[in-house]
Amino acid sequence: MKEEFIAKKKIILTGDRPTGNLHLGHYVGSLKNRVMLQNEGNYDEMYVFIADTQALTDNFNNPKKVRDNVIEVALDYLSVGLDPKKVTIFIQSMVRALPELTMYYMNLVTLARLERNPTVKSEIKQKDFGSSIPVGFLNYPISQAADITAFDATIVPVGDDQLPMIEQAREIVRSFNNIYGETLVEPKAVIPDNEVCRRLPGTDGKAKMSKSIGNCIYLKDDSDTVKKKVMSMYTDPNHLKVEDPGNTKDNPVFIYLEALSTDDHFKKYLPEYKNLDELKAHYEKGGLGDVKVKNFLYEVIEDILIPIREKRKYYEDNIDLVYKILKEGSIKANSKAEETLKKVKKAMLIDYFD
Ligand code: ATP
Ligand code: MG
């Protein structure tokens, strides 16, 4: 009965860290899905938030970077087509219930469990924390569980590096409900159907495209910057001469085409090939140069980024409107999270004066 009640609502929630501008990895891994879900309209509530509290866990000594990027990420959201009329866009630190929920959830998770999280593990390595890992950083999967459960989110569209976080949130929900009674809703991750979109590599071909590494093509990059980045992208190092057979599998140029190009792009910019399969076959056989493929990739990226840039320009010129959207969204998110906090405190028997 309770289960039925809980499963009735479809609530979508996702966030991004304001550690830099959003890039093509965000676009294919999560933003595109969010805009699609938003436009399909098949949901009860949708929340998108800027995770400044989480960004501070590994940028605590650089508050200006986080503050500046809050507005940058908001501009990125609006420019890809997230619509504040349909989606509540808010800033994490404006929602006071979140750290309080985090505090209660911390009792339900062991240190060993946090240390086992594979995404956190690789981020600790990448950030060179050594043995000086800030408690707040190690704890961020728990704070992420608070973000998700505060809104009763059922669907969380993410890239695959976030799967361990959703799993951690599900464990917290189960544990909480077991101990204190059915209160929280279990979320589900939604990852892109297209496998290459789940973890887009960087332009260096090495790791995932990530703002902390800087191997990114940003949604706000201008045409010249995109051109330069595409032209200097890593490809197959053994494909030295045009006539050499090339490898398309670990080649980020082809991975990006797999993630971004459509048959229409071929019609428009490279009509001598019907589709990506034909282009790949030619490259693998030999006789197709990297410059030609990169020029095509540049056109494909431009096709996607031109309308995004135009929208961004509108909001940059109306920056007061962006602040208003964030403020209104934060107020709305705050009252929703307060409701959850009330339920949580009641379940935990710490609702003394209600
Ligand atoms: P940071 O380096 O600060 O962690 P990031 O580039 O990893 O930044 P996040 O804000 O951590 O970006 O991620 C926001 C969302 O975008 C998450 O759902 C994440 O899975 C997704 N995402 C990030 N990078 C990629 C990528 N390269 N491919 C697919 N999805 C991605
Ligand atoms: Mg990240």
Side-chain angles (χ1 to χ4, degrees):
M1 162 84 191
K2 195 93 188 180
E3 283 261 320
E4 266 171 47
F5 169 69
I6 283 172
K8 248 194 209 157
K9 279 199 158 181
K10 187 169 169 185
I11 300 179
I12 305 167
L13 173 132
T14 39
D16 304 271
R17 294 151 43 87
T19 49
N21 279 98
L22 300 185
H23 50 63
L24 285 178
H26 296 112
Y27 181 76
V28 298
S30 173
L31 288 174
K32 220 166 123 183
N33 258 346
R34 293 183 217 176
V35 175
M36 199 187 69
L37 287 164
Q38 165 197 279
N39 293 339
E40 280 172 2
N42 176 24
Y43 59 84
D44 296 290
E45 292 163 40
M46 185 161 171
Y47 298 90
V48 173
F49 71 100
I50 305 175
D52 59 340
T53 310
Q54 190 186 118
L56 283 165
T57 63
D58 53 327
N59 292 277
F60 55 88
N61 50 4
N62 204 346
K64 180 144 188 337
K65 169 178 160 188
V66 174
R67 187 188 171 99
D68 290 348
N69 279 305
V70 167
I71 201 73
E72 287 297 319
V73 171
L75 284 166
D76 287 330
Y77 283 167
L78 295 165
S79 60
V80 295
L82 286 175
D83 178 354
K85 289 200 193 76
K86 299 177 181 157
V87 176
T88 304
I89 302 176
F90 69 94
I91 303 175
Q92 187 184 21
S93 65
M94 297 305 294
V95 181
R96 301 281 287 273
L98 299 178
E100 195 167 338
L101 289 170
T102 305
M103 192 80 187
Y104 301 137
Y105 298 168
M106 279 162 74
N107 300 329
L108 309 176
V109 182
T110 65
L111 187 57
R113 175 65 182 90
L114 287 178
E115 285 169 341
R116 260 203 327 269
N117 185 312
T119 301
V120 172
K121 254 186 178 166
S122 74
E123 286 172 345
I124 285 172
K125 242 200 212 144
Q126 178 209 319
K127 290 171 207 304
D128 241 350
F129 280 139
S131 58
S132 311
I133 307 161
V135 175
F137 183 77
L138 197 63
N139 197 44
Y140 92 72
I142 302 181
S143 111
Q144 212 164 308
D147 304 334
I148 295 169
T149 54
F151 297 92
D152 293 339
T154 50
I155 293 174
V156 188
V158 286
D160 75 359
D161 63 318
Q162 290 303 305
L163 292 177
M165 308 306 162
I166 312 301
E167 194 41 48
Q168 176 70 84
R170 288 164 65 86
E171 281 175 33
I172 289 173
V173 169
R174 287 196 287 263
S175 170
F176 189 99
N177 289 350
N178 258 334
I179 300 168
Y180 304 111
E182 208 61 41
T183 312
L184 302 174
V185 181
E186 235 180 275
K188 231 195 232 136
V190 173
I191 56 173
D193 294 332
N194 185 347
E195 211 171 307
V196 296
C197 296
R198 296 173 190 168
R199 188 184 292 246
L200 197 74
T203 46
D204 54 2
K206 276 185 196 137
K208 105 178 172 71
M209 187 180 282
S210 161
K211 3 185 175 74
S212 297
I213 302 174
N215 53 2
C216 307
I217 294 176
Y218 294 102
L219 301 179
K220 73 175 274 199
D221 279 345
D222 59 32
S223 300
D224 285 349
T225 309
V226 173
K227 183 120 205 181
K228 267 187 217 132
K229 287 183 178 174
V230 170
M231 288 306 165
S232 57
M233 260 176 85
Y234 177 87
T235 62
D236 173 7
N238 299 317
H239 185 244
L240 297 172
K241 288 189 246 107
V242 173
E243 55 276 21
D244 291 341
N247 169 12
T248 58
K249 271 214 180 66
D250 316 307
N251 185 331
V253 174
F254 279 93
I255 296 174
Y256 286 13
L257 286 175
E258 191 90 54
L260 299 165
S261 72
T262 61
D263 292 356
D264 272 351
H265 286 133
F266 278 91
K267 245 188 236 151
K268 231 162 133 183
Y269 304 114
L270 204 60
E272 61 258 51
Y273 302 90
K274 237 200 237 112
N275 52 36
L276 187 56
D277 287 341
E278 280 190 5
L279 189 75
K280 273 182 171 173
H282 192 183
Y283 192 82
E284 281 163 9
K285 194 169 113 233
L288 175 57
D290 281 317
V291 172
K292 185 162 177 176
V293 186
K294 283 181 167 177
N295 268 323
F296 175 57
L297 174 61
Y298 166 71
E299 297 290 2
V300 170
I301 295 176
E302 279 295 286
D303 203 62
I304 294 166
L305 294 190
I306 287 169
I308 294 178
R309 277 187 211 121
E310 259 167 40
K311 261 214 169 110
R312 177 177 249 275
K313 172 94 183 58
Y314 169 79
Y315 285 104
E316 278 173 351
D317 292 343
N318 291 278
I319 206 75
D320 289 351
L321 177 60
V322 181
Y323 279 100
K324 187 165 170 268
I325 290 166
L326 289 175
K327 193 169 174 191
E328 283 173 2
S330 297
I331 291 170
K332 198 165 155 206
N334 200 43
S335 53
K336 166 93 184 193
E338 281 298 324
E339 278 172 36
T340 306
L341 181 62
K342 240 189 191 161
K343 278 192 275 178
V344 161
K345 292 182 83 165
K346 186 161 189 241
M348 293 178 74
L349 308 181
I350 50 175
D351 60 333
Y352 303 108
F353 306 117
D354 283 345

